[in-house]
Amino acid sequence: MSDVPANHPRALSLELREKIEYYRQLGIVANAGPIAHGRGEAFDYLLGETTPTPVREDIYAAAALLLEAQHPVISVNGNTAVLAPKSLISLSRNIPAKLEVNVFYGRTGEREKKIADYLISQGAQEVLGINAEAKVPNLHSARMRVDKNGMALADVVLVSLEDGDRTKALIDWGKKVISIDLNPLSRTAVDATLNICDNLIRALPLLEKAVQDLRTDQQKIKQLTAEINNDYSTARVLKFLNHRLGNLATIKNEFSILDATEEHIHFIKNLTKSVIEEGCFYPQQDELNTDYILSKLNLEYTCTNILLARHILCGFIDGDIRDNQTFHLKRLAIDKMYRGFGGGKILLKKVEKLATIKGCKKIVTEVLTNCHTAQGLFLKNGYTIEGLVNCNGEKHNLIVMGKKLSGA
Ligand code: ATP
């Protein structure tokens, strides 16, 4: 069926897309099915296309809930049937739980029948939901129709690729709902008793394994179900995403440093000017004077280093050695666009190394009281507050910060 070469880096993803489209043409997947699938793929990219550790714990809690249930039901729609037929069938046998077709689009019952026939062709023995006559109270889409021997009786329902309306209606009807939804913020994920924020293709086999692991451990089952808290689970997933995206949103490895030369004077002057405008350097005549800057560049007792992101000049640090022992760090400036990526730390490390080589025992610097980001950077890099300089008549005072050099 597929023209996708097996060694294509996204072969599985492309094959699944083709499968969804193929079965859409056969009337098993709804016309809107590919859109829901694409939304899931986008969230899966954010997860890194792996099951996050906290979600693995949620999967065990979900397995416990399914094992504790008197009448567990696995709800199946077009997308889920096509994406993971064997896993759905195998999980339903293992729990054991009933399989029931339930669709959002399909008032004629024809699509339900096609999905059920497809699952039977894949090995399912029984699929409920055809000509279903019971109704989910307060639900108005085709999803309201449920089987009187399946979902109507169920105490725990497993749903995936679901719309939020039915999840909420099932909960209001007194059911516990486990959802598998890659979007941790969908109404389904938020309203469910427990959401498994994972691709159902990965989650179903993990869920089956968890069912096998837990089956005989009644105490663990009790403990896990008692601890279910969907808000907490969602928060952990969001924290995971936040951390992952934070790590990805870095250009740390793209930074490099070089000694400043005459060609950087213009850049130093401009950056100094903009930091003065931000209010984080006090204006001093000399600092904007080209000849003065040039006269101080990398002499025996001075140092000025430039920070580059790839090939773009984005920061600098300068200072001088006083009384042969102390490196006085005068200015550290990073272009606004490049802040928060670890460039400040790299500049500080470079200066520490240099000061140590020159025999300094300590680095000191002065930071304006209003410059909290700079203070945070110094504190994070081992500097301590040593005093305060009262700048009479000025808007802000100066905090003196220092760090002993360990290699000295
Ligand atoms: P809601 O009504 O719950 O706010 P929705 O309108 O997005 O959400 P649907 O379009 O019915 O709901 O369902 C699609 C949901 O399924 C999306 O949240 C999507 O991220 C998720 N999804 C899509 N593919 C997968 C998959 N393979 N595994 C798990 N979840 C998936």
Side-chain angles (χ1 to χ4, degrees), residues 37-158:
H37 181 73
R39 188 151 57 254
E41 278 198 330
F43 279 103
D44 212 5
Y45 261 84
L46 297 180
L47 282 187
E49 294 175 311
T50 55
T51 309
T53 308
V55 175
R56 286 177 186 269
E57 288 175 21
D58 293 334
I59 287 174
Y60 270 80
L65 208 53
L66 287 163
L67 285 168
E68 210 180 55
Q70 298 294 314
H71 299 287
V73 170
I74 301 173
S75 178
V76 184
N77 61 21
N79 282 50
T80 53
V82 162
L83 286 175
K86 302 271 187 214
S87 300
L88 286 166
I89 294 163
S90 182
L91 178 66
S92 76
R93 278 206 190 115
N94 250 286
I95 296 172
K98 288 175 178 155
L99 286 170
E100 178 169 337
V101 179
N102 184 275
V103 298
F104 186 83
Y105 300 98
R107 292 195 179 268
T108 60
E110 201 185 324
R111 205 157 69 81
E112 286 97 318
K113 173 95 175 56
K114 281 185 178 173
I115 296 170
D117 286 348
Y118 177 67
L119 286 173
I120 284 169
S121 77
Q122 296 293 306
Q125 299 219 309
E126 188 189 23
V127 181
L128 304 177
I130 315 302
N131 303 321
E133 279 172 355
K135 283 184 181 160
V136 180
N138 302 317
L139 194 63
H140 307 289
S141 67
R143 285 212 149 136
M144 74 170 135
R145 288 197 306 260
V146 289
D147 202 297
K148 66 178 185 337
N149 297 315
M151 218 110 49
L153 263 187
D155 47 355
V156 175
V157 185
L158 173 69

Side-chain angles (χ1 to χ4, degrees), residues 247-314:
N247 281 341
L248 289 172
T250 183
I251 50 171
K252 225 183 316 200
N253 299 331
E254 307 290 340
F255 283 128
S256 59
I257 288 187
L258 42 87
D259 286 344
T261 62
E262 195 172 342
E263 67 177 289
H264 301 122
I265 304 272
H266 191 60
F267 166 72
I268 294 173
K269 247 172 70 172
N270 280 345
L271 188 53
T272 304
K273 219 164 134 195
S274 73
V275 180
I276 290 172
E277 278 160 16
E278 273 181 62
C280 278
F281 287 161
Y282 272 143
Q284 284 172 13
Q285 284 293 308
D286 294 344
E287 284 170 358
L288 297 176
N289 180 311
T290 307
D291 291 337
Y292 178 81
I293 301 173
L294 193 58
S295 74
K296 291 283 177 189
L297 276 192
N298 298 318
L299 306 171
E300 201 187 339
Y301 293 103
T302 66
C303 109
T304 307
N305 282 146
I306 299 289
L307 181 71
L308 296 128
R310 292 234 170 132
H311 304 295
I312 300 165
L313 306 178
C314 66

